[in-house]
Amino acid sequence: MTLSTSIPDVRGADSATRKKTLVAACTAHATHDGLSDLVYVLLPIWQDMFVLSYVWLSVLRSAYSLTLAVLQIPAATLSTRIRPAWLLAISTAVTGLGWLAAGFAGSAIALGASLVIAGLGASVQHPVASAMVSRAYAGNAKKPLGLYNFSGDLGKSMLPAGAAFLLTCTTFQVTATVFAGIGLLAALVIGALLRHVPAPRILTCKAAALPAGAGHAGSPRAFAALLWTAIMDSAVRMGFLTFLPFIIKHNGGSLAQAGVALTLVFIGGAMGKFVCGWMSERFGTLKTIVVTELATALLIGVVLIAPISLAMIVLPLLGAVLNGTSSVLYGAVTDVVESHKLEKAFSVFYTGTIGSGAVAPILYGYVGDHAGVLSATAFVALTAALALLPVVLFSRLQPGAFDSRS
């Protein structure tokens, strides 16, 4: 049976157009991911400014990330009505304006509203930018998409570290204004790069002609197992990052050291995408997930009890397994989902993981308020170990489900 679907027509796309598209997408990814993770550095500042509990700090974090998660699918739909190039530039400007408003917020409620505006702009970047890169490099998009993904980690490494440095010599208001300016500048760069990039034309073809996921039978239960593991993995990642500045502070570290700690985790995360990808190809998806999740739980425990100097050494390795697992899980989707269902599957997968990352810190924050930050972080480590259960249990029912190409 054949099935009609849509793929982009890239006929006439020259080398210069492809490069401009990739640079614009990487600029957007680095800017949005960096601004999103800026929140972690600012949580202790906001706690002192507004006298907030861990739950309310987690609500502020989720105001940004939950907005981003909920609007992923609507943003992708909007891109079919508005030229993607302009939508990407405008949304980046909206994020910059959200951070500008955050700098002038006089209350926690106003700050939360500003972060919702920033999250509204950020919701466009992932579906639109990744689609633009895939469209420009159709048939040969794997490496460009890898560079696009890496640019997000680069932004996560640079922008929070820059904010931590600025906060040692200036105020939060000035820092927020500077990073709002970075967002607005990025919007101008994106608009300039994509100004002459033509809007995509859509062709219709047979699903049998599509290479993605071809030859793999659909398995809704296997997809559900991957999704639940990914949801728990995302909860671990966001929960740990939320508490890391407070762990450093609890162990006698400074705000600058907290910024360095986050940067080390993000640098390790960038390396983890490559290392865990290699592990998945070499040892199989299931074994890689087991190793990385157990390593995550163990290394979180080390960071909790170790002196700051040792914790700083461990953090890049923790970042590698903390971030690398998500790439392995994402890549495994094509092994358990039929070709013509991949687009819907990835949208569900992305919404679930980002939504989990938004909601989980609130639950962990509740534990932190009642049992302390160390106990809450230990609970995060336990979640990492439990994240193994869905894929391990399903693999017992259907051996080799996640490693059909390993």
Side-chain angles (χ1 to χ4, degrees):
M1 181 178 66
T2 59
L3 181 72
S4 296
T5 188
S6 296
I7 61 171
D9 179 9
V10 292
R11 290 176 297 183
D14 56 19
S15 177
T17 297
R18 290 195 294 269
K19 289 179 180 178
K20 287 181 180 179
T21 300
L22 180 58
V23 171
C26 288
T27 299
H29 202 185
T31 301
H32 282 285
D33 277 22
L35 290 176
S36 177
D37 284 4
L38 194 66
V39 171
Y40 296 117
V41 177
L42 297 174
L43 289 177
I45 302 296
W46 294 337
Q47 185 179 47
D48 293 338
M49 286 176 60
F50 303 115
V51 193
L52 300 174
S53 66
Y54 289 121
V55 166
W56 281 108
L57 287 172
S58 299
V59 168
L60 287 177
R61 173 67 185 108
S62 297
Y64 200 121
S65 55
L66 191 58
T67 302
L68 191 160
V70 170
L71 297 179
Q72 290 280 317
I73 296 175
T77 302
L78 187 62
S79 69
T80 64
R81 301 182 180 182
I82 300 176
R83 185 180 175 186
W86 296 125
L87 183 60
L88 186 60
I90 291 170
S91 65
T92 304
V94 169
T95 296
L97 292 174
W99 276 103
L100 184 63
F104 292 93
S107 67
I109 293 177
L111 177 60
S114 300
L115 294 178
V116 167
I117 294 173
L120 174 66
S123 67
V124 172
Q125 183 273 136
H126 280 115
V128 172
S130 58
M132 289 179 69
V133 173
S134 298
R135 186 177 299 125
Y137 290 86
N140 191 29
K142 187 173 182 180
K143 289 184 179 179
L145 283 173
L147 183 59
Y148 162 76
N149 286 326
F150 177 76
S151 68
D153 292 301
L154 190 62
K156 292 178 182 180
S157 301
M158 296 179 63
L159 269 63
F165 173 77
L166 281 178
L167 288 168
T168 62
C169 55
T170 188
T171 64
F172 160 68
Q173 287 75 16
V174 172
T175 300
T177 301
V178 168
F179 282 90
I182 291 175
L184 294 173
L185 178 60
L188 292 175
V189 171
I190 292 166
L193 286 168
L194 300 178
R195 182 175 54 182
H196 299 302
V197 173
R201 292 174 294 163
I202 304 300
L203 296 176
T204 300
C205 72
K206 302 296 184 181
L210 296 176
H216 296 285
S219 178
R221 292 182 179 179
F223 174 75
L226 281 177
L227 179 60
W228 277 110
T229 292
I231 286 173
M232 296 175 73
D233 178 73
S234 180
V236 170
R237 186 164 56 257
M238 296 307 176
F240 176 74
L241 291 173
T242 299
F243 286 119
L244 180 57
F246 300 102
I247 296 172
I248 299 298
K249 182 179 178 180
H250 181 273
N251 291 337
S254 64
L255 179 62
Q257 287 176 309
V260 171
L262 285 166
T263 300
L264 291 173
V265 172
F266 296 140
I267 291 174
M271 296 187 302
K273 288 189 174 181
F274 296 101
V275 174
C276 292
W278 173 83
M279 288 177 61
S280 180
E281 292 180 0
R282 180 68 176 82
F283 302 107
T285 298
L286 182 61
K287 290 181 180 178
T288 301
I289 293 171
V290 170
V291 170
T292 54
E293 291 291 6
L294 290 178
T296 297
L298 176 63
L299 293 174
I300 289 176
V302 172
V303 172
L304 277 177
I305 64 176
I308 290 181
S309 57
L310 179 57
M312 291 294 186
I313 295 174
V314 168
L315 284 173
L317 181 57
L318 174 55
V321 293
L322 194 67
N323 202 41
T325 311
S326 62
S327 295
V328 175
L329 291 165
Y330 189 80
V333 172
T334 57
D335 287 335
V336 298
V337 176
E338 292 174 325
S339 175
H340 62 279
K341 296 180 180 179
L342 280 175
E343 189 172 59
K344 180 180 178 181
F346 278 124
S347 67
V348 172
F349 198 85
Y350 226 148
T351 300
T353 55
I354 296 177
S356 169
V359 174
I362 298 176
L363 302 178
Y364 292 134
Y366 180 84
V367 177
D369 285 333
H370 290 80
V373 64
L374 298 184
S375 296
T377 309
F379 186 58
V380 172
L382 178 61
T383 306
L386 293 177
L388 294 170
L389 292 179
V391 291
V392 170
L393 290 177
F394 186 82
S395 66
R396 292 295 184 95
L397 297 175
Q398 188 174 332
F402 305 113
D403 294 305
S404 59
R405 290 184 293 179
S406 298

